[in-house]
Amino acid sequence: MEDATGGALRADARRNRERLLVAAHAVFSERGADASLNDVAKRAEVGIGTLYRHFESREALLAATCDEQLLTLAKQSRERSEALPPLEALRVFLAELVHSAGMYKGLAASLGIVLKNHTKGCDATTAEGQRLLETAQRAGEVRGDILLDDVVCMAMAISLAAAEDGADPKRVPRLTGMFFDGLRSRPEPRGARHR
Amino acid sequence: MEDATGGALRADARRNRERLLVAAHAVFSERGADASLNDVAKRAEVGIGTLYRHFESREALLAATCDEQLLTLAKQSRERSEALPPLEALRVFLAELVHSAGMYKGLAASLGIVLKNHTKGCDATTAEGQRLLETAQRAGEVRGDILLDDVVCMAMAISLAAAEDGADPKRVPRLTGMFFDGLRSRPEPRGARHR
DNA sequence: TGCGAAACGGAGGATAGCTCCGTATTTAAC
DNA sequence: GTTAAATACGGAGCTATCCTCCGTTTCGCA
């Protein structure tokens, strides 16, 4: 895991941490989530040792880099959801999660891991997702057997599928919509077999 | 791509190719699809150069290793589907595809690539999937806007999600069922009618 | 200003991927 | 059976990346 953001870091340490996060975002955006960490360090004009002191693994760096984005996602979702019906709120949340997972090519494969890091953004996002899901389930709009982890996995998976080279750009909305239909409580389609 | 299976290989070459495929299956099963290719060569008691001569990339080796399995999948599906309604045939096909993708840990992430290699098994599987999908669509059971690639992607994605450490073992059937519900033609949104 | 703690940098060991080419084996012609 | 060309083999070694370790530098407090 990475250093606590609010910790009592020395001024140079805090500056370097900031530079690393900026560089990581740039490099991951350009070259994907499996880019060389040496490149990240170079871009930040910092030694590789410094990178590893601040972020003990690629996952930790990824998690920290995504953290702010996730915080924003959670916050916006909370605000928006007040004015939306439960199902719709969940739908938008799912769409944004898919989008987030596609932020860096290859991120999706590690997003599950990322979301298990207990940084602020991750916790906020999972809490918000949980809330939306439960609300929609209590309203009878979504199947009761679904777990938040399922939703996260599928968001990640759809994003991953979309990242394939030469993929149809319509694929993401198509798959997202399809998955979403599957989430919904079915009006007891008789003869439809159970899963 | 790998050597043509039926080609006029020298006897020693054919023997080594066989050994490599056996070793690859063993190593990938034990250590996942990103296992060291050096290990595969060692297990086959063959030089690493020989491995690369026969299979120019990890994907080619994976594709060849999966090929037979895919051939079987396609053949069984074709036989089975004669006795099943279109939707059910497609459902079983999807389930088996998910299962195949989970054959080696981490394979799912490359299965899309694997299925684009034009080996016999891959071609057979995509042809069969296409046939099942079109049949179900013509019967009005499945949304018309779905492409086979979507189905393949989701199968791969579900398998990937399931491979996560500590995942709920019920997740695969749950997600598969959900996705499948999403595939189906909807009988006029919610509550309207049922079938 | 001086000193201890904190942080820095990057050399270099470890590991994996992949290429290259000298050597060995096979095959077919004679 | 001999021989020569074609084919295939093996693995050393080059490259690239990851990550650790430790001598050096910077910071900040007194």
Side-chain angles (χ1 to χ4, degrees), chain B residues 20-133:
Chain B
L20 278 165
L21 285 174
V22 172
H25 175 72
V27 172
F28 288 149
S29 292
E30 280 169 25
R31 305 221 253 276
D34 58 351
S36 158
L37 295 192
N38 276 302
D39 287 353
V40 173
K42 250 175 237 158
R43 169 88 72 133
E45 295 177 290
V46 142
I48 184 67
T50 298
L51 186 152
Y52 278 99
R53 196 168 324 100
H54 284 288
F55 306 98
E56 70 176 15
S57 64
R58 176 183 301 278
E59 279 69 39
L61 179 55
L62 270 175
T65 307
C66 296
D67 200 46
E68 202 171 345
Q69 185 126 352
L70 287 174
L71 260 180
T72 307
L73 194 162
K75 185 160 146 261
Q76 289 183 346
S77 169
R78 214 173 312 118
E79 290 165 6
R80 184 179 49 225
S81 72
E82 286 168 19
L84 290 177
L87 192 64
E88 188 60 14
L90 185 61
R91 200 176 66 79
V92 181
F93 178 83
L94 175 64
E96 298 211 329
L97 204 54
V98 170
H99 183 257
S100 277
M103 186 165 43
Y104 316 130
K105 178 165 167 296
L107 172 63
S110 357
L111 190 65
I113 296 165
V114 169
L115 279 178
K116 286 193 179 64
N117 276 305
H118 292 287
T119 55
K120 276 192 289 188
C122 297
D123 285 352
T125 302
T126 48
E128 171 65 8
Q130 188 66 49
R131 192 180 67 81
L132 291 176
L133 181 62

Side-chain angles (χ1 to χ4, degrees), chain A residues 41-192:
Chain A
K42 250 175 236 156
R43 169 86 71 129
E45 295 177 291
V46 142
I48 184 67
T50 298
L51 185 152
Y52 278 98
R53 196 169 322 102
H54 283 289
F55 306 98
E56 70 176 14
S57 65
R58 176 183 302 277
E59 278 69 39
L61 179 55
L62 269 175
T65 308
C66 296
D67 201 46
E68 202 172 347
Q69 186 126 351
L70 287 174
L71 260 180
T72 306
L73 194 161
K75 185 160 145 261
Q76 288 183 346
S77 169
R78 215 173 312 117
E79 289 165 6
R80 183 178 49 224
S81 71
E82 287 169 18
L84 290 177
L87 192 64
E88 188 59 17
L90 185 61
R91 182 203 302 279
V92 180
F93 178 82
L94 174 64
E96 297 212 328
L97 204 55
V98 171
H99 182 258
S100 276
M103 185 165 43
Y104 317 130
K105 178 166 168 296
L107 172 62
S110 357
L111 191 65
I113 296 165
V114 168
L115 278 178
K116 284 192 180 64
N117 277 305
H118 292 287
T119 54
K120 275 192 289 187
C122 297
D123 286 352
T125 302
T126 48
E128 171 65 8
Q130 189 66 50
R131 192 180 68 80
L132 292 176
L133 181 61
E134 279 172 13
T135 305
Q137 283 174 327
R138 266 201 300 272
E141 300 275 14
V142 164
R143 296 163 53 142
D145 63 341
I146 296 304
L147 304 179
L148 178 62
D149 266 7
D150 296 336
V151 178
V152 171
C153 279
M154 286 310 269
M156 154 185 117
I158 290 172
S159 183
L160 193 85
E164 204 180 311
D165 287 338
D168 179 352
K170 289 260 164 68
R171 180 180 286 166
V172 169
R174 205 163 55 224
L175 292 179
T176 309
M178 220 185 324
F179 172 61
F180 199 74
D181 280 353
L183 275 182
R184 297 173 55 184
S185 297
R186 298 224 101 205
E188 206 40 45
R190 329 168 329 121

